[in-house]
Amino acid sequence: MITGSTRAAGVIGTPIRHSLSPSIFNAAFVAAGLDWAYLAFEVPEGAAGLALGGMRALGLEGLSVTMPHKAAVLEGLDELSTDAEALGAANCISRRGGLLRGDNTDGPGFVDSLRIDEGIDPDGLRCAIVGAGGAGRAVARALAGAGASEVVIVNRSPEPAARAAALAGGQGRVGTAEEVGDVDLVVNATPLGMGVVVSTAGEPEPLPLDVQRLGSGQTVVDLVYHPAVTPLVSAARARGLHAVTGLGMLIHQAAHAFRLWTSEDAPLEAMSAAAVAELARRGVPA
Ligand code: NDP
């Protein structure tokens, strides 16, 4: 029940009405027995600073930040984590007394999804990331930080590829599409496959990489989570590969935010179940 003492958090972005975060966080607050509530706020491009002013004035405890505000919020914050500073982007804002702190939980969420859900430790793995936008950069930095021996960036535009490779330090370099077959772990960090329900009619499906190049022993992770089973995940599984959906990263980056805001353990099972249930409610195959 929402009362006068309920504490409030939310997500800012545009478009925002499709966000799974309200389902995930409200389920988490219920499971943890916390008197908190979480709402989605449609904030137009250019209005991130106004939203932060609103957060301060209204005393919101935390804000998740999504497209297109992850970079724009930085200038309105008082403190940044080292990840947020290096990436030039924050996806999580916490109120610390009168100050607002920005974190970037995408990379840690990605690594947690590998370690906790899949039992895969990136330490020593050769990795390739296809795509070099905000998600690709966060994953590149996190994989290097987790000990990956190599982080190869494959992207259609060279400048973002070089920027992402630099974030992986000495382990990072720009590579070619052919190299996806030479690594242990392949990550799709492009939006290709988003909103595409896998066709059973044999129609061409947009794939971000050539699955014919992949072989046994390789793991494929698709950061796209809507639908959960993307054309890439489906095609990789059809070749007998271990393919991981983007839902794990979504849940674990939210779990980091939950811990930052509440200082409590995140109820991962309840959060995951809520995301799956919301996708099913929308008729999206899981
Ligand atoms: P950006 O727009 O910042 O970057 C997109 C990247 O994909 C760019 O490198 C772009 O290349 C490349 N790209 C886009 N379209 C194509 C195309 N048609 N062919 C080849 N490459 C293409 O997006 P984000 O990094 O923020 O997000 C990428 C995906 O990751 C989204 O689907 C998002 O939903 C998902 N995501 C999932 C998360 C999770 O928790 N599971 C968290 C964050 C993101 P170029 O540089 O040439 O433009």
Side-chain angles (χ1 to χ4, degrees):
M1 192 168 76
I2 292 178
T3 69
S5 58
T6 302
R7 296 163 82 176
V11 57
I12 59 170
T14 185
I16 203 64
R17 294 296 155 215
H18 69 290
S19 173
L20 293 176
S21 294
S23 305
I24 293 169
F25 279 101
N26 285 313
F29 296 143
V30 169
L34 295 174
D35 183 16
W36 284 56
Y38 185 104
L39 287 175
F41 299 107
E42 181 81 36
V43 173
E45 188 153 16
L50 283 173
L52 294 183
M55 180 181 184
R56 289 180 199 273
L58 298 172
L60 302 186
E61 303 292 346
L63 277 183
S64 310
V65 182
T66 188
M67 293 267 290
H69 304 308
K70 286 185 182 183
V73 291
L74 256 57
E75 67 182 61
L77 299 174
D78 304 303
E79 295 173 1
L80 291 178
S81 69
T82 50
D83 277 341
E85 193 160 7
L87 293 164
N91 72 335
C92 172
I93 302 173
S94 316
R95 198 162 59 80
R96 301 276 168 91
L99 300 180
L100 299 185
R101 174 189 160 90
D103 281 83
N104 197 310
T105 67
D106 279 337
F110 175 79
V111 170
D112 278 359
S113 76
L114 284 182
R115 287 194 178 130
I116 297 170
D117 299 343
E118 308 299 327
I120 296 173
D121 190 335
D123 193 13
L125 294 189
R126 294 164 302 157
C127 306
I129 302 169
V130 182
R137 289 195 296 275
V139 168
R141 178 173 157 83
L143 281 173
S149 62
E150 204 179 10
V151 180
V152 181
I153 309 295
V154 178
N155 193 52
R156 64 179 178 184
S157 312
E159 191 276 330
R163 199 174 152 208
L167 283 160
Q171 296 115 290
R173 69 174 172 85
V174 177
T176 63
E178 290 73 36
E179 290 182 77
V180 295
D182 303 336
V183 297
D184 305 302
L185 181 74
V186 182
V187 181
N188 171 42
T190 78
L192 287 175
M194 199 152 71
V196 178
V197 175
V198 175
S199 161
T200 50
E203 293 154 22
E205 293 156 354
L207 295 180
L209 55 95
D210 182 1
V211 286
Q212 304 298 330
R213 293 190 178 277
L214 305 180
S216 61
Q218 289 190 275
T219 295
V220 178
V221 185
D222 199 341
L223 300 193
V224 176
Y225 54 82
H226 198 299
V229 178
T230 58
L232 174 63
V233 168
S234 176
R237 286 181 179 162
R239 282 183 67 77
L241 301 170
H242 181 207
V244 179
T245 76
L247 271 176
M249 174 175 171
L250 181 74
I251 299 303
H252 286 283
Q253 61 80 27
H256 277 271
F258 183 93
R259 287 183 214 108
L260 284 165
W261 296 340
T262 68
S263 302
E264 305 258 348
D265 285 343
L268 291 169
E269 279 182 24
M271 296 167 83
S272 186
V276 170
E278 177 57 16
L279 285 172
R281 194 186 67 79
R282 296 178 194 182
V284 178

